[in-house]
Amino acid sequence: MDIQFLGTGAGQPSKARNVSSLALKLLDEINEVWLFDCGEGTQNRILETTIRPRKVRKIFITHLHGDHIFGLPGFLSSRAFQANEEQTDLEIYGPQGIKSFVLTSLRVSGSRLPYRIHFHEFDQDSLGKILETDKFTVYAEELDHTIFCVGYRVMQKDLEGTLDAEKLKAAGVPFGPLFGKIKNGQDVVLEDGTEIKAADYISAPRPGKIITILGDTRKTNASVRLAVNADVLVHESTYGKGDEKIARNHGHSTNMQAAQVAAEAGVKRLLLNHISARFLSKDISQLKKDAASIFDNVHVVKDLEEVEI
Ligand SMILES: [Zn+2]
């Protein structure tokens, strides 16, 4: 599982950073890619990656500000032009209004898609668990921005233990149907009378990963709740140390506040994105250094950077 950042800038694109979008690549797990936000130019960024648009099966939108959604009509239209590729349906999750935005853009521009889009809109009163599959559960909770904005907590379900085939062979179990029985947790008796206890040959279940991806927000307890014990927290850092007042006025956070959230939630790793174009490269290293005084495992991400989870 990886996160690839497609746009890490705040508000408007700059030469170094495009506006918000990131891809959660779940190729090994479910052969799908999930996008979080889709700022203008997201499809151009995707061209510079190995992501195939038809593998994008779900898009999660944090809020309706333009720098997070203006890339949708273009991406959705181009996704239709995948020659010789099977057309796959798409789910879009987001605040009330996202459906009307997408359908209006497509209708006015005369765009017809050869695949279906299923919309899942929510508002303040319909948050919580927004999706559950056999492998993942996704929760959304309202953050504190200038318009309705949410953060997402993606929880992978625990992974089943694996069968230790070498150990079974060493115990004299012939390869075949017995392996299947043991894998299903059944104890078996071999022809020579040896008892094989399944539990001795199956590793313990591994806990699933937790990935928290927040939209634009002031510092709020909702962020901490969404991020509790997460393997990775992706948090905006529109402002730097000392800018707490201006950050509050604009509905954003500083690097220090993001680090406080990471520390309070006990996450393993903090990735800072939504970086203002005012920050030059020397400022970026300062952003990281200052945040690290509160939460050590922090990194300021760049466009196209890929992070393994
Ligand atoms: Zn934004």
Side-chain angles (χ1 to χ4, degrees), residues 9-11 20 37 62-63 65 67-68 145 215-216 236 238 252 274:
S20 289
D37 286 336
T62 61
H63 64 299
H65 276 154
D67 57 318
H68 295 253
H145 191 42
D216 296 6
E236 70 131 291
T238 314
H252 289 292
H274 206 266

Side-chain angles (χ1 to χ4, degrees), residues 138-159:
V138 181
Y139 297 87
E141 191 172 342
E142 185 176 5
L143 301 174
D144 181 12
H145 191 42
T146 54
I147 59 167
F148 176 61
C149 178
V150 304
Y152 292 102
R153 175 178 175 90
V154 178
M155 296 184 74
Q156 182 185 28
K157 292 188 177 168
D158 288 351
L159 300 157

Side-chain angles (χ1 to χ4, degrees), residues 26 34 37 79-80 88 108 122 142 156 213 219 273 302:
L26 303 170
W34 295 357
D37 286 336
R79 190 178 181 273
T88 51
V108 170
F122 42 72
E142 185 176 5
Q156 182 185 28
I213 298 165
K219 184 167 187 289
N273 74 346
K302 291 193 188 90

Side-chain angles (χ1 to χ4, degrees), residues 2 21 30 53 57 79 92 94 135 137 172 198 225 259 272 278:
D2 304 85
S21 184
I30 51 172
R57 302 296 296 272
R79 190 178 181 273
I92 297 182
K135 299 223 166 118
T137 312
R225 284 192 295 272
L272 297 178
R278 325 188 293 286

Side-chain angles (χ1 to χ4, degrees), residues 17-230:
R17 295 179 189 272
N18 198 34
V19 283
S20 289
S21 184
L22 67 81
L24 176 61
K25 296 162 93 172
L26 303 170
L27 295 169
D28 290 342
E29 291 77 14
I30 51 172
N31 198 23
E32 289 185 12
V33 174
W34 295 357
L35 281 190
F36 288 77
D37 286 336
C38 189
E40 183 186 353
T42 294
Q43 61 167 324
N44 305 59
R45 275 293 191 255
I46 287 178
L47 288 175
E48 296 174 59
T49 71
T50 56
I51 297 169
R52 290 157 75 185
R54 77 174 174 94
K55 295 273 187 198
V56 176
R57 302 296 296 272
K58 298 188 193 317
I59 301 179
F60 298 85
I61 297 296
T62 61
H63 64 299
L64 300 183
H65 276 154
D67 57 318
H68 295 253
I69 64 168
F70 284 169
L72 275 174
F75 172 75
L76 296 173
S77 305
S78 302
R79 190 178 181 273
F81 297 112
Q82 302 278 300
N84 306 323
E85 294 211 20
E86 166 207 3
Q87 299 289 342
T88 51
D89 289 0
L90 184 79
E91 317 272 329
I92 297 182
Y93 298 80
Q96 206 114 58
I98 193 65
K99 179 175 180 179
S100 145
F101 169 72
V102 169
L103 294 184
T104 305
S105 317
L106 295 175
R107 190 186 67 243
V108 170
S109 58
S111 310
R112 285 174 160 267
L113 305 183
Y115 58 86
R116 294 173 71 94
I117 304 176
H118 306 278
F119 291 91
H120 307 266
E121 291 186 309
F122 42 72
D123 58 20
Q124 279 94 343
D125 302 321
S126 53
L127 290 172
K129 191 202 286 181
I130 57 157
L131 164 69
E132 181 162 15
T133 70
D134 56 339
K135 299 223 166 118
F136 289 92
T137 312
V138 181
Y139 297 87
E141 191 172 342
E142 185 176 5
L143 301 174
D144 181 12
H145 191 42
T146 54
I147 59 167
F148 176 61
C149 178
V150 304
Y152 292 102
R153 175 178 175 90
V154 178
M155 296 184 74
Q156 182 185 28
K157 292 188 177 168
D158 288 351
L159 300 157
E160 278 178 26
T162 49
L163 194 65
D164 190 337
E166 287 306 312
K167 193 173 166 190
L168 275 180
K169 264 194 256 164
V173 181
F175 187 76
L178 283 182
F179 269 59
K181 284 190 180 166
I182 297 164
K183 187 162 193 277
N184 290 331
Q186 218 176 311
D187 298 338
V188 299
V189 180
L190 302 184
E191 275 175 14
D192 66 0
T194 316
E195 264 188 86
I196 300 287
K197 289 214 176 302
D200 296 340
Y201 297 89
I202 300 172
S203 62
R206 281 175 296 141
K209 304 279 187 196
I210 302 173
I211 304 103
T212 300
I213 298 165
L214 302 184
D216 296 6
T217 188
R218 301 180 179 96
K219 184 167 187 289
T220 165
N221 287 332
S223 301
V224 178
R225 284 192 295 272
L226 286 164
V228 165
N229 296 332

